[in-house]
Amino acid sequence: MSDMDVRAEADAVLSRLVGRGDGEARLREDQWQAIEALVLEHRRALVVQRTGWGKSAGYFVATALLRHRGAGPTVIISPLLALMRNQVESAARAGIAARTINSANPEEWDAIQAEVEAGAVDVLLVSPERLNSPDFRETVLPRLAATTGLLVVDEAHCISDWGHDFRPDYRRLRTMLAELPAGVPVLATTATANARVTADVAEQLGTGGGEALVLRGPLDRESLRLGVLELPDAAHRLAWLGERLGDLPGSGIIYTLTVAAAEEVAAFLRQSGYPVASYTGKTENADRLQAEEDLLANRVKALVATSALGMGFDKPDLGFVVHMGSPSSPIAYYQQVGRAGRGVDHADVLLLPGREDEAIWSYFASVGFPPEEQVRRTLAVLQDAGRPLSLPALEPLVDLRRSRLETMLKVLDVDGAVKRVKGGWTATGRPWTYDAERYAWVDRQRKAEQQAMRDYVATAQCRMEFLQRQLDDEKAAPCGRCDTCAGPWLDAAVSPGALAGAAGELERPGTEVEPRRMWPTGMAAVGVELKGRIPAGQQAAVGRALGRLSDIGWGNRLRPLLSEQAQDGPVPDDVLKAVVTVVADWARSPGGWATGGADAMERPVGIVAMPSRTRPQLVASLADGLARVGRLPLLGTLVHTPEADQHASHRSNSAQRLRALAASFAVPADLAAALAGTPGPVLLVDDFTESGWTLAVGARLLRQSGAGPVLPLVLAQSA
């Protein structure tokens, strides 16, 4: 068969894939170049092309051609669950049987693997996390490597340490690449790789398979009109969005930096009459699926989303992307805005930066790869254990949060220092070097990207050209469309009524604080004899916080007050007034003491304060002010014991936090007498809760001393 015949066959597959019954769809020359390299030359190729270029069409067409020639199934490694669902449906249009194995469908894994072994699957989409599962890695992956006809690595920048979204699970691909039989083609695709990432990924693609072909195109997106609106505060941004969302074309995505902000924005827009849905890491899977379907069908004006939606959504007619808050990386920003305008001539992209952005950047930067001392400690614990340790078993022994601990272990696994096995993790005993130079470079790169986002907001030059240059696009040039090239196209003004409504929404105080109900696993290993469910008679009740540090309303007021650099002092009058409102609303809520119902709780009989080393004046004045306004007795304050851990980290895991707190507080005699003399519910007042363990330990002590239900009340919770 000649190359021209293969090209015609490829165009026919494309026509079916895009639903062209007339068979008139045609591959572009650059798309055909990639397919030709895979199907006819059996090469390894890296394609760096803008979103909407047609990367998925390329690997589906290549799959159909290779399968027609007797090749095994295509394996696609992709982190994008939403995109996986889209791709399974689009592949079916071309007669390509696609299945997916990811965290959302574990009940289907066995059946899918059986279909793969029976030859009934043309494409298997796998999330990168599966590559680090012992069962998958040791039993399924070797068979896939031996039988696959094409390996596709989607979002290939994730392979690189230098990429904006490095994921250690992806590094397992090095092993799979090395084990592929000779002549098996490999395709890596991404829309966001600068020159350094491109070179790194291309080098890794060559593992065991010769030099990789790099196909890189221009990254300008002719359909996108980029703009920035700098508004005075969060209320102005929310009011502007409430008034102007209907003017934005079609349906789209509104990105926020935190879950709390997504929930705030979605709630306000719904109250303003817009059909919107929130989409975050806390959204249940069924609700995510419904939200995706509603956006695809244009039943909602927008999804208000965190990076949980990220890059992984395929809607060609997406008309706009708005960011309520600036991402910390121009590369990640380009990737997210690239979801818009893929199948329409014009789409609007707007960035509404906020003054809270940099505090959020700082938080996420603080949870990067741990210092060498913590890494060595973890390796020593695993070495001394002599058996696999699960994450819950490791936590009491290692001062790292679970998500950070797991990411670190995955990096160490790739480096060969540890191994994930059934039952947990073990140390391999192999020599390991802490790559301080690499981690320092990543930190410098992160800071440079943050500065680039500041520059993007402030630039008077073309915004699209700015983003292209951040990605080392040699063809970067002024776009002629953005607000700096063609002038602003949207008025930044908001009406007084809209501003008042937004301010009222953001200033509405009060969020629930869920109590801890289970002690962490493995506390006996560090000498703390607490395990299992916390007895009902020792638990804190559901509490209240004035706000969340991660929201754009009270969070902006509370972050400066509670920052490590803030000076201690009395609680500000406006904050105390708002906390009083929280308590009043609490009393009137279902089951509250002011409702008078049969199931209403008893009115609190007094206030108890938690001791604070960092903000004693703030906590004491908050408790005293509530006592005065609420006409409740201030029963006293818990005290620190001589054994109190003065160096406990607020960002450690639950086991470490509880270990530090379990023996840190005591009920003094005068407070114990007050509790005995006035039995009943008490308000337990503190400045801030992050893990919930300080409140859990304090509530347990008070209940053991004769208090009735303990109602936690804090200024802020972390999320």
Side-chain angles (χ1 to χ4, degrees):
M1 182 178 286
S2 69
D3 288 5
M4 290 186 63
D5 291 335
V6 178
R7 176 71 180 267
E9 183 184 355
D11 287 338
V13 175
L14 178 66
S15 294
R16 295 195 299 271
L17 189 67
V18 299
R20 286 286 296 269
D22 56 11
E24 291 301 313
R26 295 290 182 268
L27 291 161
R28 297 190 309 274
E29 286 303 317
D30 50 1
Q31 289 176 312
W32 168 244
Q33 186 180 4
I35 293 168
E36 183 181 38
L38 299 171
V39 176
L40 299 182
E41 301 170 12
H42 296 274
R43 293 195 63 176
R44 296 185 175 188
L46 169 61
V47 171
V48 183
Q49 295 282 5
R50 61 183 179 235
T51 302
W53 175 85
K55 295 184 285 291
S56 60
Y59 52 68
F60 280 137
V61 170
T63 293
L65 299 182
L66 288 166
R67 290 289 276 168
H68 183 66
R69 287 154 179 76
T74 292
V75 176
I76 301 175
I77 309 298
S78 174
L80 311 177
L81 299 189
L83 196 56
M84 282 185 183
R85 291 188 279 270
N86 298 151
Q87 290 181 332
V88 169
E89 295 169 3
S90 62
R93 290 197 297 267
I96 298 170
R99 301 288 184 272
T100 175
I101 292 178
N102 59 65
S103 59
N105 67 342
E107 70 285 352
E108 300 176 13
W109 292 353
D110 290 342
I112 292 171
Q113 287 169 198
E115 288 183 65
V116 173
E117 292 178 8
V121 174
D122 299 313
V123 173
L124 179 65
L125 294 110
V126 180
S127 59
E129 289 75 18
R130 293 299 93 217
L131 302 178
N132 204 43
S133 162
D135 283 341
F136 189 88
R137 192 172 68 198
E138 295 169 11
T139 60
V140 180
L141 195 57
R143 291 200 300 272
L144 286 178
T147 62
T148 187
L150 170 64
L151 176 64
V152 177
V153 183
D154 203 9
E155 307 303 334
H157 57 269
C158 297
I159 294 176
S160 175
D161 291 350
W162 317 114
H164 73 270
D165 193 23
F166 165 66
R167 298 191 184 194
D169 292 311
Y170 259 77
R171 297 296 293 274
R172 282 281 154 212
L173 287 166
R174 286 181 171 180
T175 303
M176 189 170 181
L177 286 167
E179 294 175 352
L180 285 175
V184 174
V186 178
L187 173 65
T189 68
T190 181
T192 53
N194 58 21
R196 179 167 187 153
V197 171
T198 297
D200 186 24
V201 174
E203 180 182 356
Q204 294 186 48
L205 279 183
T207 304
E211 184 177 355
L213 172 68
V214 178
L215 301 172
R216 184 181 177 109
L219 299 178
D220 181 26
R221 292 288 309 283
E222 294 89 348
S223 63
L224 298 186
R225 178 168 58 169
L226 304 180
V228 174
L229 282 177
E230 293 190 82
L231 298 171
D233 52 36
H236 278 81
R237 286 185 290 146
L238 199 58
W240 184 91
L241 193 58
E243 286 197 307
R244 305 302 173 89
L245 182 58
D247 298 335
L248 297 177
S251 55
I253 300 170
I254 301 167
Y255 281 109
T256 65
L257 300 187
T258 67
V259 171
E263 293 172 351
E264 281 181 303
V265 172
F268 176 76
L269 291 177
R270 280 193 290 266
Q271 290 172 11
S272 300
Y274 294 106
V276 299
S278 60
Y279 191 113
T280 74
K282 292 186 177 181
T283 305
E284 294 292 337
N285 187 57
D287 293 332
R288 286 193 186 196
L289 288 172
Q290 186 63 56
E292 291 167 17
E293 292 173 5
D294 288 344
L295 184 59
L296 286 169
N298 295 316
R299 290 191 291 266
V300 293
K301 179 65 177 178
L303 291 189
V304 185
T306 62
S307 59
L309 182 66
M311 305 161 287
F313 196 81
D314 186 15
K315 179 177 168 62
D317 63 342
L318 203 71
F320 64 87
V321 170
V322 175
H323 278 77
M324 287 283 285
S326 176
S328 61
S329 161
I331 302 173
Y333 182 64
Y334 175 88
Q335 180 74 280
Q336 290 179 344
V337 302
R339 306 323 304 172
R342 297 180 56 197
V344 292
D345 292 335
H346 304 287
D348 286 344
V349 171
L350 293 168
L351 173 61
L352 280 63
R355 62 188 177 94
E356 72 275 4
D357 296 349
E358 300 214 11
I360 296 169
W361 296 353
S362 296
Y363 172 78
F364 286 119
S366 72
V367 293
F369 197 76
E372 183 172 6
E373 179 184 355
Q374 290 179 309
V375 182
R376 297 286 180 194
R377 167 66 179 164
T378 305
L379 289 172
V381 167
L382 289 172
Q383 192 72 49
D384 294 343
R387 60 181 177 83
L389 292 180
S390 65
L391 288 172
L394 265 173
E395 283 182 314
L397 308 172
V398 178
D399 194 9
L400 288 168
R401 280 190 168 182
R402 180 169 298 191
S403 58
R404 198 177 183 199
L405 173 61
E406 184 174 23
T407 298
M408 181 193 76
L409 288 169
K410 288 177 179 179
V411 172
L412 294 176
D413 192 359
V414 170
D415 291 343
V418 304
K419 184 177 181 181
R420 187 178 180 185
V421 298
K422 289 183 179 179
W425 299 83
T426 60
T428 63
R430 296 177 189 169
W432 178 79
T433 301
Y434 187 88
D435 195 344
E437 182 179 353
R438 182 176 72 178
Y439 303 134
W441 188 95
V442 170
D443 184 60
R444 291 194 300 273
Q445 183 70 6
R446 182 186 297 115
K447 291 176 181 176
E449 289 179 344
Q450 292 175 355
Q451 184 57 49
M453 282 309 297
R454 298 184 192 101
D455 295 342
Y456 175 80
V457 169
T459 187
Q461 299 176 346
C462 172
R463 297 196 194 277
M464 180 59 77
E465 182 183 11
F466 183 98
L467 294 178
Q468 288 178 262
R469 293 196 183 284
Q470 289 294 313
L471 285 157
D472 297 323
D473 184 357
E474 295 178 356
K475 297 184 179 180
C479 70
R481 305 177 303 274
C482 69
D483 61 351
T484 55
C485 286
W489 70 93
L490 287 168
D491 188 351
V494 296
S495 69
L499 183 59
E505 178 64 26
L506 293 177
E507 291 169 4
R508 181 174 294 129
T511 65
E512 287 192 350
V513 176
E514 284 295 324
R516 288 288 186 172
R517 304 186 192 280
M518 297 283 294
W519 299 119
T521 301
M523 295 306 301
V526 290
V528 178
E529 298 301 326
L530 295 172
K531 63 180 181 180
R533 178 171 290 278
I534 303 174
Q538 296 180 10
Q539 283 185 27
V542 175
R544 294 292 188 276
L546 173 55
R548 294 176 288 196
L549 293 184
S550 56
D551 65 33
I552 58 175
W554 275 102
N556 281 337
R557 177 69 178 93
L558 294 170
R559 272 190 299 272
L561 185 65
L562 299 176
S563 74
E564 293 180 1
Q565 294 75 34
Q567 295 228 336
D568 186 27
V571 63
D573 290 343
D574 65 318
V575 174
L576 176 61
K577 182 179 179 181
V579 175
V580 171
T581 300
V582 171
V583 176
D585 291 343
W586 192 0
R588 292 190 294 268
S589 66
W593 54 90
T595 59
D599 58 347
M601 70 175 70
E602 184 183 346
R603 185 177 189 272
V605 297
I607 294 173
V608 177
M610 290 297 303
S612 174
R613 286 197 174 94
T614 55
R615 288 179 282 269
Q617 290 184 61
L618 180 67
V619 176
S621 64
L622 175 62
D624 181 68
L626 285 169
R628 283 186 290 101
V629 175
R631 298 178 182 177
L632 290 170
L634 182 56
L635 301 177
T637 302
L638 293 170
V639 296
H640 285 115
T641 66
E643 296 79 21
D645 187 342
Q646 298 187 40
H647 307 290
S649 170
H650 286 278
R651 290 183 176 173
S652 58
N653 60 60
S654 286
Q656 284 287 322
R657 188 78 184 126
L658 180 59
R659 180 198 61 77
L661 293 169
S664 289
F665 306 111
V667 179
D670 58 341
L671 175 56
L675 291 170
T678 53
V682 295
L683 289 171
L684 178 60
V685 174
D686 204 358
D687 54 352
F688 170 68
T689 182
E690 183 173 26
S691 68
W693 290 115
T694 298
L695 297 175
V697 170
R700 178 172 180 262
L701 286 171
L702 294 175
R703 296 302 301 269
Q704 289 176 326
S705 297
V710 175
L711 314 178
L713 178 63
V714 297
L715 293 179
Q717 56 181 331
S718 59

